[in-house]
Amino acid sequence: MNIFVVYDSDNGHTEALAKSVAEGAKIPGAKVYLSHVRSARVEDLTEMDAIIWGCPGHFGSISDGLKTWIDKLGYLWAQGKLIGKIGAVFCTTATVHGGLEATMLNLIVPMLHQGMIIVGLPGNIRENALYGSYYGVGVTCPVETSPNDPPNLPSGNDLALGRALGQRVAEVAGKLADAESR
């Protein structure tokens, strides 16, 4: 089972969350690929069973780096190459109520256009009930007061949500693969 975690990150916040998502997806039988959009190849998506992408939220929308990458998926859509693949999303924002859910919904829409099966994060995961969202993982990393300050990276609870999303995606993708092999 192949899982591709593709992310955009401006200052390391989303990259830290992406790494936790990839870590959670590393269950037995899963091969996980983690790539920044600058080096991710759209063509590789056809070989994946699950695709998870994330970015910083920019005013409630997808970052320009990930949006530009997603906009290259037209020929895959035209050929139906991503139909039936598992998809999930994550994001970071700099402020509370800074557009986490709007960003995740904006990330989900292209997956729906591709015919992907969206996997969110259920409320029975303790950290999600307290800090999360059902659409995926969205975390707030407050803006640093100075460019010289170390980044306000995701907290332990935030990273636990990332690992939970990665694990859930891998488990669902595994169940789907098992069902298709019968």
Side-chain angles (χ1 to χ4, degrees), residues 13-83:
H13 306 98
T14 310
E15 180 178 25
L17 186 56
K19 288 178 178 178
S20 73
V21 170
E23 180 184 329
K26 290 179 182 173
I27 67 169
K31 186 165 185 180
V32 180
Y33 303 87
L34 175 68
S35 184
H36 190 283
V37 291
R38 287 188 304 261
S39 56
R41 292 172 15 100
V42 169
E43 302 81 23
D44 292 340
L45 294 177
T46 60
E47 303 303 317
M48 300 299 143
D49 300 292
I51 301 160
I52 308 169
W53 58 49
C55 66
H58 290 178
F59 307 104
S61 193
I62 304 170
S63 68
D64 62 336
L66 187 58
K67 177 68 169 93
T68 298
W69 188 82
I70 290 170
D71 286 345
K72 296 175 184 175
L73 302 179
Y75 79 94
L76 295 177
W77 170 83
Q79 297 175 27
K81 295 288 188 180
L82 303 183
I83 293 172

Side-chain angles (χ1 to χ4, degrees), residues 5 10-11 14 33-34 41 47 62 65 71-72 75 82 93 95 97 99-100 108 129-130 154 160 176 180:
V5 180
D10 295 330
N11 297 306
T14 310
Y33 303 87
L34 175 68
R41 292 172 15 100
E47 303 303 317
I62 304 170
D71 286 345
K72 296 175 184 175
Y75 79 94
L82 303 183
T93 60
T95 59
H97 308 297
L100 288 170
I108 289 170
L130 296 173
L176 185 62
E180 289 177 351

